[in-house]
């Protein structure tokens, strides 16, 4: 009996070892990136106008992506803003971009080319609409802009979209009742300072460096955008439901606000790609955006407001599969 028992014991021991090795191999496959590699290739990231938050954010994000995705080359491409950004990504002229939720909703509502292919990666920070005038201006509300020279943003920008809507909500025809200037944040501060403009609209994170720098050298004021304008915006259709009442904190622009909070309109920014983008690339890109919040936020302060708890809400766009993978991987 002893030899037979010995053979059975050896056989059981060998079987146990084989199972243990299989389990160990499975564990190592799960823990270690065996057979996988970091995403590689080249990407075009469409940002915004010079001196705007999108462009400054893109420059800093490029550095973070170089560290996290060393085999990926990022090419930054300035733009007029949200509307042009969406058209570029939808057409395959860019791979990732930033755009406001209202611009995305309009792009989809108008059934622009490639609208059904757009996907969200993250909800980022909110843009705040800023109506800037000289401190001694008589303008106290949007309604007072009638007959004035007003910077309304470039044609393809999110600023143009919201400026036109706010003017119409205030009963002003943007083409007839004002002298409009289609220019961006890279030039309108200087034109206001040179008295070539009476006011300009800007929509961006707080604080926007160009507005802050203007307030340091020229006396300006921020015009309140009251809640009744929001109600009128919401009454015009679904694409405007993404606007909400907000308040610019008293310390957003110390010189311009004189320590007083300013009521305004806010809208969320989204990180956007398309369903053509590789899930692994999208997962890595989204991870870097969330991870780099504090580092980028030291320079571009709105980035500090990127929040993992709300980033997943990219309405009106469905989440890209790669972004879903990232959020599942960090879910508590």
């Amino acid at each position: 009996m002893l030899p037979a028992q010995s053979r059975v014991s050896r056989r059981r021991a060998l079987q146990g070892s084989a199972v243990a090795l299989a389990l160990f191999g499975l564990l190592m496959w799960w823990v270690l990136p065996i057979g996988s590699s970091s995403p590689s290739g080249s990407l075009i990231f469409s940002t915004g106008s010079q001196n705007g938050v999108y462009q400054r954010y893109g420059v800093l994000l490029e550095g973070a992506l170089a560290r996290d995705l060393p085999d990926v080359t990022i090419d930054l491409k300035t733009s007029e803003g949200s509307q042009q950004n969406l058209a570029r990504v939808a057409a395959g002229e860019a791979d990732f971009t930033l755009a406001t939720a209202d611009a995305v909703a309009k792009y989809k509502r108008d059934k622009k080319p490639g609208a059904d292919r757009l996907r969200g990666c993250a909800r980022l920070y909110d843009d705040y609409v800023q109506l800037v005038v000289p401190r001694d201006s008589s303008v106290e509300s949007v309604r007072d802009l009638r007959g004035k020279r007003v910077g309304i943003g470039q044609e393809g920008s999110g600023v143009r979209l919201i400026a036109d809507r706010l003017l119409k909500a205030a009963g002003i025809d943007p083409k007839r009742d004002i002298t409009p200037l289609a220019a961006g944040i890279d030039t309108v501060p200087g034109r206001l300072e040179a008295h070539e403009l009476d006011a300009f609209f800007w929509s961006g994170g707080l604080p926007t460096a160009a507005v802050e720098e203007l307030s340091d050298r020229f006396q300006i004021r921020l015009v309140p955008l009251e809640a009744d304008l929001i109600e009128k915006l919401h009454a015009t259709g679904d694409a405007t439901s993404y606007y909400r009442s907000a308040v610019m904190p008293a310390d957003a622009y110390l010189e311009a606000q004189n320590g007083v909070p300013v009521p305004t309109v806010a809208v969320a920014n989204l990180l956007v790609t398309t369903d053509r983008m590789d899930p692994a690339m999208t997962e890595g890109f989204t991870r870097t955006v969330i991870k780099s919040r504090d580092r980028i936020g030291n320079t571009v302060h709105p980035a500090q407001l990127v929040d993992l708890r709300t980033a997943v809400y990219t309405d009106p766009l469905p989440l890209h599969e790669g972004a879903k993978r990232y959020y599942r991987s960090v879910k508590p």
Side-chain angles (χ1 to χ4, degrees):
M1 293 297 292
L2 288 177
Q5 289 178 344
S6 178
R7 285 195 298 273
V8 170
S9 298
R10 284 198 300 271
R11 186 161 51 249
R12 287 176 176 173
L14 289 171
Q15 290 172 341
S17 298
V19 171
L21 284 171
L23 290 174
F24 180 76
L26 182 61
L27 178 63
M28 289 299 98
W29 175 85
W30 181 263
V31 172
L32 298 176
I34 298 173
S36 66
S37 60
S38 174
S40 61
S42 60
L43 296 175
I44 296 175
F45 186 50
S46 188
T47 58
S49 59
Q50 291 290 345
N51 299 323
V53 178
Y54 280 5
Q55 195 269 341
R56 296 178 70 234
Y57 183 87
V59 169
L60 293 170
L61 182 60
E62 181 184 22
L65 289 165
R67 287 187 293 270
D68 294 350
L69 302 175
D71 298 323
V72 177
T73 302
I74 309 294
D75 181 20
L76 299 182
K77 194 173 184 179
T78 58
S79 78
E80 294 182 351
S82 292
Q83 298 185 78
Q84 186 177 44
N85 282 344
L86 291 169
R88 281 179 177 174
V89 169
E93 297 171 5
D95 301 295
F96 289 91
T97 195
L98 303 173
T100 51
D102 60 326
V104 173
K106 183 179 186 301
Y107 197 90
K108 292 185 65 176
R109 184 198 66 188
D110 294 346
K111 298 181 179 179
K112 293 288 186 69
D116 59 333
R117 307 204 69 164
L118 295 175
R119 296 292 184 270
C121 301
R123 174 178 173 150
L124 302 175
Y125 56 88
D126 284 352
D127 271 357
Y128 289 76
V129 181
Q130 300 156 53
L131 176 53
V132 182
V133 298
R135 185 168 294 177
D136 58 1
S137 171
S138 62
V139 175
E140 298 292 340
S141 71
V142 176
R143 296 170 183 84
D144 296 331
L145 292 175
R146 189 180 301 274
K148 304 293 187 185
R149 301 165 299 173
V150 184
I152 57 172
Q154 295 169 295
E155 181 66 33
S157 68
V159 181
R160 167 66 69 86
L161 186 61
I162 183 59
D164 282 352
R165 286 173 169 173
L166 283 170
L167 288 164
K168 290 174 183 177
I172 294 176
D173 186 322
K175 295 181 180 179
R176 298 178 182 177
D177 297 334
I178 63 171
T179 301
L181 176 68
I185 196 64
D186 52 337
T187 62
V188 288
R191 296 190 181 197
L192 188 79
E193 187 178 8
H195 305 288
E196 297 172 2
L197 282 178
D198 301 304
F200 69 81
F201 283 96
W202 168 245
S203 180
L206 295 176
T208 296
V211 177
E212 193 170 36
E213 291 164 5
L214 175 63
S215 71
D216 288 339
R217 64 178 188 266
F218 182 70
Q219 291 191 329
I220 61 172
R221 181 165 49 82
L222 295 168
V223 178
L225 305 179
E226 302 296 350
D228 65 317
L229 286 174
I230 295 284
E231 295 172 4
K232 291 179 179 179
L233 284 173
H234 287 177
T236 61
D238 291 340
T240 58
S241 63
Y242 296 94
Y243 301 130
R244 65 177 181 83
S245 294
V247 175
M248 284 187 273
D251 60 352
Y253 301 106
L254 286 173
E255 294 294 328
Q257 294 176 240
N258 200 25
V260 178
V262 178
T264 188
V265 178
V267 61
N269 280 295
L270 306 178
L271 175 64
V272 180
T273 188
T274 70
D275 60 357
R276 293 185 293 262
M277 183 51 56
D278 174 64
M281 183 75 80
T282 305
E283 181 179 1
F285 202 103
T286 306
R287 177 179 289 106
T288 294
V289 165
I290 303 300
K291 277 178 53 183
S292 63
R293 179 192 70 178
D294 294 335
R295 187 184 301 114
I296 292 177
N298 289 331
T299 303
V300 181
H301 300 302
Q304 295 174 348
L305 301 177
V306 176
D307 190 333
L308 181 60
R309 294 168 297 181
T310 57
V312 69
Y313 300 111
T314 57
D315 184 53
L317 292 178
L319 266 178
H320 190 283
E321 179 58 35
K324 288 181 183 178
R325 292 182 188 178
Y326 167 68
Y327 294 118
R328 284 196 293 262
S329 73
V330 294
K331 187 176 180 180

